[in-house]
């Protein structure tokens, strides 16, 4: 004979759904805040009372839609039932005067109510349904009743309920959760950590049409301590605010990738500072993903300093890649010390090729309602590992690799295009990058700004032609009118480039022919001493060579001026940042000309401009004593010291040494120095050059900033030290300010 049996549920189920599942106090508060959000609240107030007296309680109050008596019975008291998941949460709710239509739900497990048990032993719930003539329902729960006897059945534990005419907390509608007999300890450090965690809980980029959702923390016992704090981040009381991504928006390199709501397309934009490098639209090959966006920022040194200054905390202590679903954060993604995406594990396999959690910050935003991207029941363990989740990870790596491609291959871990003084090299690398992108078979559309045409103009690689070819193919295949126009525009620019190249090649051929003819006519010998002792016997061949090299520098300046004069006449407007870059290049070329003209009256010029094997010690000594001493009568006085018979040979262009010495002495002059001492010695197989002066002292805190382009502590342009570091890097050297010398300004140069 068959009969039917039924499961019995122990009262111990409460612990499994409560304290065992909700792993800490913060996550418990998060669950209750998410419930307020799902109830269409625009504000939640979290209040801590009487904590220091030992009779503390937590009050979480919202102005949401509230619950009726039927809601309590059929929803709140129905364990593991989720009206949100079933789609019946708002079946009887009137939206006519409601501004939160279609706000996505943050939770749908039906167990968030057990978060109260994690926080305290006693719960008083007061809720008032939005609507006319609504009464207030009050429910008292003593969680210890469930703990007294595990043999008792869950459904046999009764709760105390009453209905009152109006809210005791002066709410027209909404819910108040009052938790007493707290289980955990609370103090200032824990309040601040809660505030910081809540700031990250809500997606700072909310923008799907929902009304604002604000969270406030109130702890009267901390008010006096807050009063003495000048930093808002260290105050407990007040609104919880997360503005970190707005803060970083235009300060660094970032990539944004968005999957359309219908899941058909992926649109990706890459920005360098305020400049968009490219925008592409491609077919979405990830079948399980839709309505998801990725935003990743690269934190270079400047961005990290800005972060710390504005946030009051280092980026590494704040977090890295956060994950949000329907506007709320999912743990542990982004948490310092946690790495569920295994970013740092990959970084360890190629430290100079990959970005790690110390160099990036950002977020993944999921707005899709798919059950395939669902949070685990044990909050804090991330998303359930489904096929959709693995696709989510795969696309993250695709986006990150594109950012890496730009940072590593284009920027080369250095300055952005807005900060670098590099004229054509970085533009060539950008062109190489975009040539690869436009060649993808999944690409549907490609857009760029006028800045990109500048890159195309300056690029000296074959990538420019590849890009135009790819754009033409893409335009014809897609039939996209805008893309066809872009392709035609790029083709026109390319044609101008090719004409300019041919003209430049003709000029170069003429110059080479002249140089070859002059070289055949020369019959020179190389003296053991690099410098001539007098200008009176200066040979005609040196004059010819001298004029030739000055002409090359002047030609570079002339080309830049012609190019931008032509653009001004045609377009009338050039962006300030672009104009600054042009002027910096012209200034650099002009400095070379000035150095050449001064030096050429004393030196064998061919040795001066070619890459030759030079004794750096002897060269610097003779340059300072034989050249600078004659052509410069301005202060400061310069002395050179080095051990007898010291020799250090290296293949180098002498002009580069001249530029280094000239710039450092020029800075000393502007700092009103009277005396400069240059000392040299060979230490551990490298030449160490120390240059100190008695002029204006440089603050040690500026030791790195003085090498930034445009930064200066004198009346100079802020370019000299930047160029020195650039030259030294190319020849295998480095320069830094000696912060340990408290008496003089001293620079140390090391050349390997």
């Amino acid at each position: 004979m068959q009969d039917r049996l039924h499961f019995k549920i122990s009262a111990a189920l409460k612990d499994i759904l409560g304290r065992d599942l909700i792993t800490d106090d913060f996550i418990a508060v998060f669950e209750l805040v998410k419930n307020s959000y799902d109830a269409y609240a625009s504000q939640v107030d979290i209040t801590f009372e009487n904590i220091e007296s030992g009779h503390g309680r937590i009050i979480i109050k919202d102005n949401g839609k509230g619950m009726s008596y039927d809601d309590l019975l059929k929803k709140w008291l129905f364990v593991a039932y989720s009206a949100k998941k079933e789609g019946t949460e708002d079946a009887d709710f009137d939206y006519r005067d409601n501004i939160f239509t279609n706000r996505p739900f943050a939770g749908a497990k039906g167990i968030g109510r057990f978060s109260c048990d994690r926080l305290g032993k006693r719960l008083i719930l007061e809720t008032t349904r939005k609507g006319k003539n609504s009464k207030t329902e009050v429910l008292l729960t003593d969680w210890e009743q469930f703990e007294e006897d595990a043999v008792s059945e869950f459904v046999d534990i009764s709760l105390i309920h009453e209905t009152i005419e109006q809210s005791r907390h002066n709410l027209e509608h909404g819910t108040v959760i009052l938790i007493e007999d707290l289980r955990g300890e609370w103090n200032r450090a824990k309040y601040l950590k809660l505030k910081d965690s809540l700031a990250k809980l809500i997606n700072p980029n909310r923008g799907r049409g929902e009304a604002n959702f604000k969270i406030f923390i109130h702890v009267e016992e901390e008010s006096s301590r807050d009063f003495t704090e000048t930093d808002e981040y260290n105050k407990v009381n007040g609104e919880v605010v997360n503005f970190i991504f707005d803060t970083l928006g235009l300060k660094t390199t970032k990539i944004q990738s968005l999957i359309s709501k219908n899941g058909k397309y992926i649109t990706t934009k890459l920005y360098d500072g305020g400049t968009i490098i490219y925008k592409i639209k491609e077919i979405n090959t990830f079948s399980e993903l839709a309505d998801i966006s990725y935003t990743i920022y690269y934190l270079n040194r400047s961005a990290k300093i800005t972060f710390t200054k504005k946030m009051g905390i280092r980026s590494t202590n704040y977090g890295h890649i956060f994950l949000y679903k329907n506007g709320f954060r999912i743990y542990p993604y982004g948490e310092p010390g946690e790495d569920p995406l295994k970013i740092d594990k990959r970084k360890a396999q190629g430290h100079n090729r990959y970005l790690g959690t110390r160099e990036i910050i950002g977020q993944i935003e999921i707005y899709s309602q798919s059950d395939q991207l669902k949070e685990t029941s044990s909050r804090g363990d991330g998303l359930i590992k489904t096929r959709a989740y693995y696709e989510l990870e795969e696309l993250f790596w695709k986006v990150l690799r594109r950012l890496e491609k730009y940072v590593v291959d284009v920027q080369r871990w250095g300055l952005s295009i807005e900060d670098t003084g590099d004229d054509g090299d970085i533009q060539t690398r950008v062109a190489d990058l975009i040539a690869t992108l436009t060649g993808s078979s999944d690409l549907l559309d490609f857009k760029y700004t006028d800045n990109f045409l500048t890159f195309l103009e300056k690029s000296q690689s074959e990538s420019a032609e590849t890009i135009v070819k790819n754009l033409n193919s893409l335009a014809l295949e897609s039939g996209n009118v805008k893309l066809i126009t872009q392709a035609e525009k790029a083709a026109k620019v390319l044609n101008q480039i090719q004409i300019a190249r041919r003209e430049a090649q003709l000029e170069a051929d003429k110059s080479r022919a002249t140089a070859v003819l002059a070289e055949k006519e020369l019959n020179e010998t190389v003296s053991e001493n690099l410098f001539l002792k007098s200008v009176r016997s200066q040979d005609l061949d040196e004059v010819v060579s001298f004029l030739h090299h000055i002409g090359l520098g002047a030609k570079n300046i002339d080309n830049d001026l012609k190019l931008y004069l032509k653009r001004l006449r045609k377009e009338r407007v050039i962006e300030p940042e672009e104009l600054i870059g042009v002027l910096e290049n012209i200034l650099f070329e002009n400095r070379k000309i000035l150095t050449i003209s001064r030096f050429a009256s004393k030196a064998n010029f061919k040795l001066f401009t070619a890459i030759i094997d030079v004794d750096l010690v002897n060269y610097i000594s003779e340059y300072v004593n034989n050249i600078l001493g004659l052509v410069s009568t301005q202060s400061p006085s310069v002395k050179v010291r080095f051990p007898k018979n010291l020799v250090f040979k290296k293949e180098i262009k002498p002009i580069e040494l001249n530029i280094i010495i000239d710039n450092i002495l020029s800075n000393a002059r502007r700092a009103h120095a009277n005396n400069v001492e240059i000392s040299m010695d060979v230490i551990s197989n490298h030449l160490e050059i120390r240059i100190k002066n008695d002029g204006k002292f440089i603050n040690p805190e500026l030791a790195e900033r003085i090498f930034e382009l445009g930064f200066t502590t004198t009346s100079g342009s802020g370019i000299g030290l930047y160029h020195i570091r650039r030259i030294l890097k190319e020849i295998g050297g480095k320069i830094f300010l000696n912060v340990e010398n408290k008496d003089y300004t001293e620079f140390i140069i090391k050349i390997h």
Side-chain angles (χ1 to χ4, degrees):
M1 184 180 73
Q2 295 181 336
D3 59 350
R4 293 183 178 273
L5 301 178
H6 301 277
F7 281 106
K8 296 177 65 177
I9 303 174
S10 166
L13 176 67
K14 185 270 303 181
D15 284 345
I16 296 173
L17 297 179
R19 280 182 288 164
D20 294 347
L21 199 59
I22 309 299
T23 55
D24 63 42
D25 292 345
F26 296 152
I27 292 178
V29 174
F30 298 164
E31 290 298 313
L32 297 174
V33 169
K34 287 198 283 188
N35 283 345
S36 296
Y37 179 87
D38 288 343
Y40 302 103
S42 62
Q43 180 171 322
V44 176
D45 291 270
I46 304 172
T47 304
F48 292 82
E49 293 183 349
N50 306 322
I51 301 298
E52 294 179 1
S53 69
H55 302 286
R57 61 181 190 169
I58 303 172
I59 303 171
I60 301 177
K61 178 173 69 173
D62 70 54
N63 62 349
K65 67 178 183 177
M67 292 182 284
S68 65
Y69 179 75
D70 281 348
D71 290 332
L72 280 179
L73 286 179
K74 298 177 181 179
K75 298 176 182 177
W76 205 86
L77 290 174
F78 196 167
V79 177
Y81 172 77
S82 173
K84 304 165 192 175
K85 182 177 179 181
E86 295 297 323
T88 60
E89 175 67 16
D90 299 311
D92 60 345
F93 191 58
D94 188 354
Y95 279 109
R96 285 175 297 178
D97 60 348
N98 193 285
I99 61 174
F100 304 98
T101 307
N102 296 329
R103 174 189 276 184
F105 291 122
K109 295 289 186 182
I111 57 175
R113 66 212 68 172
F114 290 98
S115 299
C116 303
D117 178 36
R118 175 77 200 187
L119 297 170
K121 299 177 182 178
R122 178 181 169 90
L123 165 67
I124 301 173
L125 171 72
E126 180 189 289
T127 183
T128 306
R129 177 75 165 181
K130 184 175 183 180
K132 294 181 180 179
N133 303 319
S134 291
K135 294 185 178 181
T136 299
E137 307 298 333
V138 181
L139 193 66
L140 173 63
T141 304
D142 184 351
W143 297 113
E144 289 195 320
Q145 285 184 277
F146 293 85
E147 300 169 10
E148 291 175 356
D149 188 358
V151 178
S152 299
E153 290 202 42
F154 192 92
V155 296
D156 291 337
I157 307 297
S158 61
L159 311 178
I160 299 174
H161 165 263
E162 67 173 321
T163 302
I164 58 179
E165 291 299 319
Q166 61 182 15
S167 168
R168 298 187 181 103
H169 295 269
N170 298 318
L171 275 180
E172 290 186 12
H173 55 83
T175 300
V176 178
I177 291 176
L178 195 155
I179 302 169
E180 298 180 331
D181 203 356
L182 303 183
R183 298 185 189 275
E185 295 183 2
W186 290 86
N187 52 38
R188 185 173 182 83
K190 193 171 180 179
Y191 298 139
L192 289 171
K193 187 174 180 182
L194 173 65
K195 188 177 181 181
D196 177 64
S197 298
L198 283 168
K200 301 171 190 173
L201 173 68
I202 304 172
N203 183 354
N205 291 339
R206 295 193 312 274
R208 292 299 181 95
E210 69 269 23
N212 288 333
F213 180 66
K214 296 183 178 180
I215 305 173
F216 291 85
I217 293 180
H218 310 277
V219 187
E220 180 63 30
E221 292 168 331
E222 296 295 333
S223 296
S224 59
R225 300 183 184 95
D226 281 351
F227 184 76
T228 61
E229 284 288 348
T230 57
D231 191 340
E232 288 296 324
Y233 307 109
N234 291 325
K235 292 183 179 181
V236 171
N237 289 275
E239 184 179 357
V240 176
V241 179
N242 187 353
F243 56 86
I244 179 57
F245 298 111
D246 290 337
T247 301
L248 289 177
L250 297 178
K251 301 297 182 183
T252 185
T253 306
K254 73 173 179 179
I255 191 168
Q256 293 177 310
S257 196
L258 172 66
I259 309 177
S260 61
K261 290 185 179 181
N262 60 15
K264 292 183 178 180
Y265 312 112
I266 301 177
T267 302
T268 301
K269 300 177 185 178
L270 179 73
Y271 295 87
D272 187 344
T275 301
I276 184 168
I277 302 302
Y278 64 74
K279 175 184 176 182
I280 59 175
K281 182 179 180 181
E282 54 195 324
I283 298 169
N284 177 22
T285 58
F286 299 94
S287 60
E288 300 293 331
L289 302 184
D291 206 9
I292 298 171
S293 72
Y294 297 77
T295 303
I296 309 175
Y297 296 79
Y298 164 57
L299 297 180
N300 58 21
R301 184 174 179 275
S302 176
K304 288 179 180 178
I305 292 172
T306 300
F307 187 105
T308 303
K309 182 178 179 181
K310 293 192 175 184
M311 294 299 295
I313 184 175
R314 288 189 174 189
S315 57
T316 51
N317 295 330
Y318 185 88
H320 41 94
I321 301 298
F322 298 91
L323 177 64
Y324 293 92
K325 183 173 183 183
N326 295 329
F328 278 84
R329 183 182 173 192
I330 296 177
Y331 276 74
Y333 303 95
E335 195 69 6
E338 300 282 351
D339 190 17
L341 294 171
K342 298 180 176 58
I343 300 170
D344 285 337
K345 181 179 180 181
R346 175 173 174 268
K347 169 80 171 178
Q349 297 170 2
H351 191 270
N352 294 323
R353 292 182 290 130
Y354 302 135
L355 295 172
T357 59
R358 299 179 67 86
E359 292 98 25
I360 58 174
I361 193 170
Q363 59 188 16
I364 303 170
E365 303 168 72
I366 303 171
Y367 285 96
S368 169
Q369 300 300 310
S370 170
D371 284 342
Q372 293 301 307
L373 292 172
K374 188 164 55 175
E375 191 176 4
T376 61
S377 295
S378 54
R379 300 300 198 258
D381 288 338
L383 295 176
I384 297 173
K385 303 303 184 287
T386 61
R387 177 181 173 184
Y389 174 79
Y390 291 117
E391 285 193 356
L392 186 81
E393 276 196 349
E394 186 179 347
L395 181 52
F396 165 76
W397 288 114
K398 183 177 181 179
V399 175
L400 181 61
R401 281 193 293 269
R402 282 179 171 170
L403 179 64
E404 281 175 343
K405 187 77 174 172
Y406 186 78
V407 171
V408 178
D409 292 351
V410 177
Q411 290 183 347
R412 294 183 178 169
W413 299 93
L415 298 170
S416 71
I417 59 171
E418 292 194 337
D419 299 323
T420 184
D422 196 344
D423 180 31
D425 194 26
I426 195 167
Q427 286 85 357
T428 296
R429 297 197 295 269
V430 170
D432 291 343
L433 173 66
I434 295 178
T436 302
L437 285 170
T438 54
S440 170
S441 60
D442 293 327
L443 195 65
L444 298 172
D445 197 4
F446 170 76
K447 295 181 180 178
Y448 52 81
T449 63
D450 288 340
N451 296 63
F452 174 66
L453 294 179
T454 302
F455 297 158
L456 222 56
E457 287 175 341
K458 293 186 176 182
S459 172
Q460 298 302 309
S461 71
E462 296 179 357
S463 295
E465 297 171 15
T466 304
I467 292 170
V468 173
K469 181 180 178 182
N470 290 345
L471 282 178
N472 280 324
S473 299
L474 185 62
L476 292 173
E477 290 175 7
S478 65
N480 186 320
V481 177
K482 290 183 179 179
L483 192 57
I484 292 172
T485 302
Q486 289 176 330
E488 291 174 349
K489 190 175 181 181
K492 186 177 180 181
V493 171
L494 179 61
N495 185 53
Q496 293 172 351
I497 294 171
Q498 291 171 336
I499 292 172
R501 279 182 182 169
R502 285 194 292 269
E503 292 176 352
Q505 187 63 46
L506 287 173
E507 290 291 332
D509 290 343
K510 289 179 182 178
S511 297
R512 271 196 296 271
T514 302
V516 169
L517 181 61
E519 196 168 345
K520 286 181 180 179
E521 295 173 353
L522 293 174
N523 184 16
E524 60 186 23
T525 58
V526 178
S527 170
E528 291 181 0
N529 189 331
L530 184 62
F531 300 102
L532 298 178
K533 297 188 180 293
S534 171
V535 298
R536 294 175 186 171
S537 62
Q538 186 176 28
D539 293 331
L540 177 61
D541 58 350
E542 291 184 4
V543 175
V544 172
S545 184
F546 158 70
L547 292 173
H548 171 66
H549 283 84
I550 285 183
L552 290 179
K555 185 66 178 177
N556 289 335
I557 293 174
D558 187 62
N559 286 340
D560 266 343
L561 291 176
K562 279 182 179 178
L563 173 63
Y564 284 91
L565 183 60
K566 181 179 178 181
R567 289 187 58 185
L568 277 172
R569 285 173 175 166
K570 182 179 178 182
E571 303 173 10
R572 299 184 180 277
V573 176
I574 293 179
E575 293 296 324
E577 294 81 359
E578 188 178 353
L579 185 58
I580 289 171
V582 176
L583 293 176
E584 286 167 356
N585 289 325
I586 291 174
L587 180 58
F588 186 54
E589 290 292 340
N590 193 56
R591 285 190 171 205
K592 283 197 225 175
I593 292 173
L594 290 174
T595 302
I596 291 168
S597 63
R598 183 174 65 187
F599 179 82
S601 63
K602 295 298 294 180
N604 183 323
F605 196 76
K606 285 186 68 64
L607 293 180
F608 169 63
T609 53
I611 297 177
I612 59 175
D613 193 16
V614 178
D615 177 3
L616 302 189
V617 177
N618 187 48
Y619 183 97
I620 292 172
S621 174
E622 292 195 18
Y623 178 67
V624 172
N625 294 324
N626 295 342
I627 301 300
L628 291 183
L630 293 177
V631 302
S632 177
T633 58
Q634 295 177 309
S635 62
S637 170
V638 184
K639 294 183 179 180
V640 181
R641 295 190 303 104
F642 54 90
K644 187 177 180 180
N645 300 324
L646 182 68
V647 175
F648 188 88
K649 290 191 174 184
K650 184 175 181 65
E651 289 189 348
I652 191 173
K653 289 181 181 179
I655 187 175
E656 294 174 332
L657 283 176
N658 299 2
I659 292 173
I660 291 170
I661 299 299
D662 283 0
N663 274 305
I664 290 183
L665 295 183
S666 176
N667 285 345
R669 190 178 302 116
R670 290 194 188 94
H672 306 292
N674 294 315
N675 298 285
V676 175
E677 182 180 283
I678 302 175
S679 61
M680 295 179 281
D681 203 353
V682 174
I683 301 174
S684 300
N685 296 321
H686 68 260
L687 178 64
E688 181 175 285
I689 307 170
R690 291 176 175 259
I691 307 175
K692 67 180 181 180
N693 69 73
D694 57 2
K696 179 183 175 183
F697 192 68
I698 299 176
N699 189 333
E701 294 181 0
L702 303 176
E704 277 301 313
R705 291 207 63 195
I706 57 177
F707 294 100
E708 293 178 6
L709 186 63
F711 183 83
T712 180
T713 60
T714 66
S715 60
S717 62
I719 296 177
L721 288 174
Y722 168 78
H723 280 156
I724 289 173
R725 178 169 277 187
R726 179 172 143 191
I727 290 170
L728 285 168
K729 183 178 180 181
E730 289 176 356
I731 66 174
K734 58 185 177 180
I735 182 173
F736 55 90
L737 179 71
N738 184 8
V739 296
E740 296 180 358
N741 193 333
K742 308 298 183 183
D743 300 320
Y744 299 97
T745 294
E746 183 179 42
F747 289 96
I748 300 177
I749 297 173
K750 295 184 178 182
I751 301 176
H752 298 281

